[in-house]
Amino acid sequence: ISNSLDALNKIRTLSLTNSEVLGSESNFYIKITPNKDQKTVTVLDSGIGMTKDELFMNLGKIAYSGTKVFMETLTQNKEDFIGQFGVGFYSSFLISKQVDVYSRHYTSPQTYLWSSTATSQYTISEVPESDPNHISVRGTKIVLHLKEDNYDYAEDHKLRQVLKEYSSFATYPLELLVTKTKTEPAPVAASENETDGEDETEGHVVDVDPTASVSSATLGSANSQPVTYTEFERINNQPPIHMRESKDITPDEHKQF
């Protein structure tokens, strides 16, 4: 996520003098998607992206920092960048048996995949447009294939805890895909709607009073059902606490920070 924040800062910095670098994607975001079935966590950003050569340099060489190189070309805004040592990315292998990095640089029409299983070997390949992992405009998608002992990271409540504890400083939206439940009216069988004012009970026709009242509590319990769905939820406050006026921060927020 810190790498994604740097990637967003890079494209934002370039856009200050040339808005055309944003292309058709003007939004800055980081989306985190856990998948319990596939035992993966995906982090997608709309940052600057990487070329094939940059994937080789940034990920294929330990202690090489593309962010540090980028900072050396700047005369201002250097304080906004996090990664300057070139080793943070490899912490992903602490919980992952395989890491796949899909990336498309803002100047390139091609998406490339860097993949490794935490050995000295890695591969870089081009991703065809027909592949669902092909990135439409720019950015990077990192897929962590979790180790068996770390399947809890595929739970949204675990990721929420990590994000709030370590990434609440983020100045860009962090959106987590969460599972929620809501109550919806239960579907009514067609046969139940075709009595025309009469109710058949054990072969006898019984008149139904259309003016008779039925309590909403009865209807709510009998004609409703829980429905599970997923949606992206904003995790971090905006702006982060260290960039707000002290008078606007509650004692509880200060204590938590």
Side-chain angles (χ1 to χ4, degrees):
I1 290 171
S2 294
N3 286 335
S4 291
L5 291 171
D6 279 349
L8 289 168
N9 270 332
K10 290 175 185 178
I11 195 66
R12 181 191 64 82
T13 299
L14 295 178
S15 70
L16 295 177
T17 54
N18 181 12
S19 61
E20 293 184 359
V21 301
L22 299 179
S24 60
E25 180 57 90
S26 59
N27 295 319
F28 299 146
Y29 58 79
I30 301 173
K31 296 181 182 291
I32 302 98
T33 303
N35 189 313
K36 291 191 292 185
D37 295 332
Q38 298 182 10
K39 305 298 189 296
T40 61
V41 177
T42 299
V43 180
L44 171 68
D45 68 64
S46 60
I48 194 170
M50 288 178 280
T51 63
K52 182 178 181 180
D53 289 341
E54 287 174 335
L55 283 170
F56 169 75
M57 294 296 294
N58 294 344
L59 306 185
K61 298 177 66 176
I62 295 178
Y64 177 88
S65 172
T67 294
K68 184 176 181 181
V69 173
F70 182 84
M71 288 175 62
E72 291 172 352
T73 67
L74 302 177
T75 58
Q76 57 185 355
N77 295 325
K78 294 186 179 184
E79 71 281 357
D80 292 334
F81 296 91
I82 302 169
Q84 301 177 38
F85 305 102
V87 293
F89 166 76
Y90 302 98
S91 65
S92 57
F93 288 105
L94 294 174
I95 64 168
S96 308
K97 60 185 180 182
Q98 178 177 329
V99 177
D100 297 329
V101 181
Y102 299 87
S103 196
R104 176 175 176 174
H105 193 258
Y106 78 97
T107 63
S108 173
Q110 298 170 327
T111 298
Y112 289 96
L113 165 64
W114 181 98
S115 182
S116 179
T117 55
T119 64
S120 60
Q121 304 294 320
Y122 64 88
T123 60
I124 298 179
S125 57
E126 185 173 338
V127 180
E129 290 189 13
S130 58
D131 192 303
N133 290 303
H134 184 272
I135 298 175
S136 59
V137 181
R138 66 167 193 278
T140 299
K141 177 195 291 186
I142 298 179
V143 183
L144 307 179
H145 300 266
L146 299 171
K147 296 177 181 178
E148 186 174 351
D149 293 342
N150 299 110
Y151 285 167
D152 57 329
Y153 280 92
E155 302 283 348
D156 56 32
H157 63 83
K158 172 68 172 181
L159 292 176
R160 182 193 300 273
Q161 173 190 344
V162 172
L163 291 171
K164 285 188 173 293
E165 186 168 357
Y166 297 107
S167 301
S168 59
F169 62 87
T171 55
Y172 297 101
L174 297 179
E175 300 179 12
L176 174 65
L177 188 69
V178 298
T179 300
K180 297 182 178 181
T181 302
K182 62 182 177 181
T183 301
E184 290 188 348
V188 179
S191 60
E192 296 179 21
N193 290 324
E194 297 174 354
T195 59
D196 293 327
E198 297 178 333
D199 183 26
E200 295 186 13
T201 305
E202 296 182 354
H204 301 285
V205 176
V206 180
D207 290 335
V208 177
D209 182 0
T211 63
S213 62
V214 181
S215 70
S216 59
T218 302
L219 286 174
S221 59
N223 299 321
S224 62
Q225 61 182 1
V227 177
T228 300
Y229 66 101
T230 58
E231 69 176 9
F232 280 102
E233 181 179 296
R234 177 71 173 270
I235 299 299
N236 58 325
N237 294 322
Q238 189 73 1
I241 191 171
H242 65 280
M243 298 179 66
R244 291 155 57 189
E245 294 287 342
S246 58
K247 62 181 177 61
D248 298 328
I249 301 172
T250 66
D252 286 342
E253 288 177 319
H254 188 232
K255 181 179 179 180
Q256 184 180 17
F257 179 72

